[in-house]
Amino acid sequence: MTAVRFHHISLSVADLAAQEAWYGGAFGLTHVDERLEMPEAGVRTVVLSDATAAVRVEFVERPASSPVAHTDPFAATAAQTFTHLALQVANLDAAFARLTGECGAATVSPPAPGVTEGMRYAYITDPEGNLLELIETSQV
């Protein structure tokens, strides 16, 4: 067995600065763990984390990358790849209202009960259409 620990997830974005600002304001991902430019590959990246470094997201900007759109949470499963980023929140209703109101996230599916007792979830997209699941459990 190989022992592992989650390190980060990577999102392809069209506008690195805009996504960096949005995730900073929306989720407090304001600490820059690393920043890298690779002109030969046409790629710029930044890895952001929250104050505790419990959540790390790498954003990769590549000119002419293609956006995706998900009409529902399961539409993303049409391609065999990562489908969404799931983030646990203490209060789903408050987080959903803030993100879709103040932060401008688009609603994919509103808060609903999950399969597991005490769990609720909702799906939103960030300004570039990346699918995010918000999860509230009775244990946060």
Side-chain angles (χ1 to χ4, degrees):
M1 175 180 84
T2 301
V4 298
R5 184 177 74 136
F6 184 80
H7 188 268
H8 74 275
I9 189 164
S10 180
L11 296 176
S12 175
V13 301
D15 187 334
L16 189 63
Q19 289 294 79
E20 186 174 346
W22 192 84
Y23 278 82
F27 299 112
L29 301 182
T30 57
H31 183 267
V32 176
D33 291 346
E34 64 182 47
R35 189 178 297 277
L36 176 66
E37 294 200 25
M38 297 183 291
E40 67 283 354
V43 171
R44 296 184 326 133
T45 71
V46 64
V47 177
L48 301 177
S49 64
D50 64 358
T52 65
V55 176
R56 281 189 191 89
V57 180
E58 175 185 34
F59 300 91
V60 181
E61 177 189 78
R62 183 179 190 146
S65 61
S66 301
V68 296
H70 304 294
T71 54
D72 66 66
F74 300 106
T77 62
Q80 293 177 349
T81 186
F82 294 98
T83 60
H84 66 273
L85 172 60
L87 299 168
Q88 188 170 351
V89 297
N91 182 321
L92 179 61
D93 294 319
F96 184 80
R98 180 177 169 276
L99 292 167
T100 57
E102 179 183 324
C103 297
T107 299
V108 177
S109 67
V115 174
T116 304
E117 184 177 339
M119 185 189 88
R120 297 175 62 231
Y121 70 95
Y123 284 90
I124 60 173
T125 59
D126 70 16
E128 291 192 5
N130 293 301
L131 188 60
L132 307 174
E133 180 181 16
L134 306 174
I135 300 174
E136 174 190 283
T137 66
S138 55
Q139 300 172 337
V140 176

